Amino acid sequence: QDQLQQKIICPGPVTCLTASPNGLYILAGVAESIYLWEVSNGNLLAILNRHYQDLTCLCFTDDSSHFLSGAKDCLALVWNLYSVLQAEPSQIPDPRHVWSRHSLPITDLCCGFGGPLARAATASLDQTAKLWEISSGELLLSILFDVGIMAVTLDLSEYHMFCGGMDGSIFQVDLCAWPVQRDRTFQTERENGKVFKGHRNQVTCLSVSTDGSLLLSGSHDETVRLWDIQSKQCLKTMNHKGPVTNAFIVLAPANMFNPDGKPSVPLPKFSKHLHGTESNDEQGSEGVTLRLGLHQQESGESYLEKAEKMYSQMYSTREKNLVGDQEHLTIQVSELEEEVSTLRKINKNLFDFSARIITKPAK
């Protein structure tokens, strides 16, 4: 059932939106600015203005430590979330890396696994898709196509990169192909069996299943298609009433099929002003107080109380284990001392016996 949980009015038209994998933060692209909200209380934590044209895509690393932004100004920026959160409101933090190797607007971003050590892929209208290393900011691979690229994604093992073109084609690029070249050209007529054909308009989004066997694609031809990667056959087509802008494969939550499953914590309204700068009246009227782990205010323990109790139990268990280990160690030491004493007696008896034999006068 489609139930409206919360309607949030943003400062302007949102061109891209993403949530951190840990569920704590929300990023939105509004014109050329990046807005960062905290989900639990709706506070606007930062407004980043380092792009010169409208944002087109945003994505987090899998550990939520970094995020990437791409825009029509042909730039892709890598941001350290900790640095952004620690910066003073009066100053704009600097991105960790500025990738400026694209010559036309960036259309899509995706991150692999590994947190700050992961690799990231960028797609652009300049008919290229590029693979980068987040830690060093180095360009690892650049692939030139014969059409503009609108979507890009990596499989879980990062053996392949999938790129969606403006003509509806989906290209499969082998990242482990030999010989290794930093600049490659994808020639469709030579790459047999590496093109998914079926969409009649530009591909806007791509997603690979966790087992690496299925590919989901959405297009402006108003369809979503599910492909078998090995055979490149379309397994299922889902029709929509308008252009598809986003689609992705996600693991089903445990309570997804529970009819009584409802969010236990309400989603607060997102603030339009930076945290700490809003007026007291507005803060008092829109502030939301949350107590995690409680359905009713007057019953049960708070989240912090439970955490403190659990920590004390763990600490007491650890003390018991240390005491038990100390007693066990004392017993072992006493046993070893007895064994050493026995060996010394044996050694002395052997020495005396040998000395008697050696010093015994010959007959």
Side-chain angles (χ1 to χ4, degrees):
Q1 296 180 359
D2 295 331
Q3 296 180 354
L4 180 62
Q5 297 292 336
Q6 181 67 267
K7 183 178 182 180
I8 299 170
I9 306 299
C10 293
V14 176
T15 57
C16 49
L17 183 73
T18 188
S20 61
N22 59 18
L24 299 180
Y25 304 99
I26 289 285
L27 283 174
V30 179
E32 67 272 6
S33 301
I34 303 172
Y35 285 72
L36 173 64
W37 282 283
E38 190 174 3
V39 175
S40 61
N41 51 29
N43 288 335
L44 178 59
L45 302 179
I47 302 176
L48 307 175
N49 298 294
R50 288 300 299 264
H51 284 284
Y52 304 104
Q53 295 186 36
D54 290 355
L55 270 291
T56 57
C57 45
L58 290 164
C59 72
F60 273 94
T61 56
D62 61 326
D63 66 344
S64 304
S65 65
H66 292 72
F67 62 90
L68 283 69
S69 61
K72 293 181 180 179
D73 59 3
C74 315
L75 297 178
L77 307 182
V78 180
W79 302 85
N80 185 318
L81 180 61
Y82 178 78
S83 299
V84 171
L85 295 176
Q86 292 298 315
E88 296 293 333
S90 59
Q91 68 182 44
I92 301 176
D94 293 326
R96 180 172 178 179
H97 300 299
V98 177
W99 294 334
S100 57
R101 302 289 291 272
H102 285 289
S103 57
L104 285 176
I106 292 175
T107 54
D108 198 16
L109 291 164
C110 81
C111 285
F113 285 87
L117 301 178
R119 296 183 292 182
T122 58
S124 172
L125 292 178
D126 63 5
Q127 301 185 359
T128 65
K130 299 182 186 295
L131 192 67
W132 310 80
E133 187 177 54
I134 293 179
S135 59
S136 64
E138 182 182 357
L139 176 63
L140 302 177
L141 178 65
S142 179
I143 303 127
L144 177 64
F145 299 87
D146 53 4
V147 295
I149 303 300
M150 301 300 298
V152 64
T153 191
L154 300 166
D155 64 355
L156 200 63
S157 59
E158 298 184 21
Y159 284 157
H160 305 289
M161 181 166 62
F162 300 91
C163 305
M166 292 192 68
D167 62 348
S169 300
I170 303 172
F171 310 100
Q172 177 180 324
V173 179
D174 294 335
L175 299 180
C176 300
W178 189 264
V180 178
Q181 296 175 331
R182 178 165 294 186
D183 296 297
R184 290 161 54 183
T185 301
F186 190 96
Q187 298 178 349
T188 307
E189 62 275 6
R190 294 184 181 180
E191 303 287 351
N192 296 325
K194 295 182 180 179
V195 181
F196 301 78
K197 294 184 178 181
H199 285 296
R200 301 182 303 276
N201 205 333
Q202 67 182 34
V203 178
T204 56
C205 50
L206 294 169
S207 180
V208 182
S209 62
T210 53
D211 62 354
S213 64
L214 300 175
L215 175 69
L216 186 73
S217 63
S219 170
H220 275 189
D221 64 5
E222 304 182 358
T223 64
V224 171
R225 292 177 179 264
L226 189 65
W227 308 83
D228 178 71
I229 293 178
Q230 188 68 28
S231 64
K232 307 294 184 296
Q233 296 297 315
C234 180
L235 304 177
K236 188 175 183 180
T237 301
M238 293 156 277
N239 296 308
H240 290 261
K241 296 181 180 179
V244 178
T245 57
N246 201 0
F248 55 90
I249 299 174
V250 64
L251 295 175
N255 63 343
M256 180 177 178
F257 302 103
N258 182 11
D260 299 327
K262 294 181 181 179
S264 57
V265 178
L267 185 65
K269 291 183 179 180
F270 286 3
S271 174
K272 297 181 183 179
H273 304 281
L274 282 175
H275 179 54
T277 61
E278 61 270 17
S279 62
N280 294 331
D281 296 339
E282 185 178 355
Q283 188 174 6
S285 61
E286 295 191 4
V288 177
T289 302
L290 297 179
R291 291 188 68 192
L292 299 180
L294 283 182
H295 298 285
Q296 295 178 353
Q297 181 73 15
E298 61 274 1
S299 62
E301 298 175 303
S302 69
Y303 176 80
L304 294 177
E305 290 172 348
K306 289 183 178 179
E308 187 175 358
K309 183 178 179 182
M310 185 178 296
Y311 178 78
S312 62
Q313 291 177 352
M314 292 172 59
Y315 189 75
S316 62
T317 305
R318 183 185 175 190
E319 281 186 338
K320 292 179 181 178
N321 290 337
L322 288 175
V323 172
D325 292 342
Q326 192 171 2
E327 293 177 353
H328 183 65
L329 185 62
T330 304
I331 295 173
Q332 280 187 329
V333 169
S334 61
E335 291 177 352
L336 289 174
E337 288 178 348
E338 292 178 0
E339 187 174 355
V340 168
S341 177
T342 305
L343 291 174
R344 282 177 177 173
K345 291 180 181 179
I346 295 174
N347 187 42
K348 187 175 183 302
N349 294 334
L350 286 173
F351 178 78
D352 293 342
F353 177 74
S354 302
R356 285 198 301 270
I357 293 178
I358 293 173
T359 58
K360 186 178 180 179
K363 294 181 180 179

